[in-house]
Amino acid sequence: MTGHVSADEVYDVIAAERPNISRATVYRNLNRLAEMGKIRKIEVPDGADRFEHWSHKHYHVRCEKCGRIFDVDMPYMEDLEARIRDTHGFDFTGHDIIFSGVCPAYKNKADVNG
Ligand SMILES: [Zn+2]
Ligand SMILES: [Zn+2]
């Protein structure tokens, strides 16, 4: 699979070929693969977690209208953690950014419908 898919979407694809597989098994395996670093888990605020193949580090934008997740064309800020001044004793190990927006597909649809 490509893009950013939810566990439900992965389940639907697998269940089409293996009807006996349970939803819980698919969820468990996805989370295990993410823990092993084989795939990347994107935790979406107020939405279902998405999974994607690991590639370069990048940021995401979520469409406020349809809820889909897209990659953002923007350089990854490797040194962002180093810029934090008041650390409260934390060791910062990474960051994720999910922007909000409205996708072109939704905008086009809205234009057509007025
Ligand atoms: Zn959209
Ligand atoms: Zn992505």
Side-chain angles (χ1 to χ4, degrees):
M1 296 186 80
T2 57
H4 309 87
V5 295
S6 68
D8 280 337
E9 288 168 331
V10 175
Y11 170 79
D12 288 343
V13 170
I14 295 174
E17 290 179 12
R18 296 176 56 191
N20 293 330
I21 200 161
S22 78
R23 210 170 272 267
T25 301
V26 172
Y27 285 27
R28 197 167 51 239
N29 281 314
L30 279 172
N31 280 304
R32 189 174 300 157
L33 285 168
E35 277 166 26
M36 289 163 61
K38 303 279 188 193
I39 58 175
R40 182 175 181 206
K41 181 177 177 175
I42 309 159
E43 296 188 14
V44 180
D46 305 322
D49 292 341
R50 307 301 160 87
F51 298 87
E52 71 178 341
H53 291 288
W54 256 118
S55 57
H56 63 290
K57 290 179 177 174
H58 58 269
Y59 301 119
H60 292 102
V61 57
R62 182 164 75 133
C63 175
E64 295 170 355
K65 302 297 183 184
C66 68
R68 283 189 294 164
I69 302 286
F70 303 85
D71 289 346
V72 171
D73 288 326
M74 161 179 176
Y76 188 86
M77 295 178 282
E78 293 282 357
D79 63 341
L80 192 61
E81 292 81 22
R83 295 193 215 166
I84 302 168
R85 286 223 184 84
D86 185 0
T87 64
H88 297 289
F90 266 89
D91 288 337
F92 290 90
T93 55
H95 67 274
D96 264 318
I97 296 177
I98 299 185
F99 296 94
S100 302
V102 178
C103 74
Y106 184 89
K107 280 198 301 185
N108 291 339
K109 208 169 58 181
D111 287 346
V112 170
N113 295 339

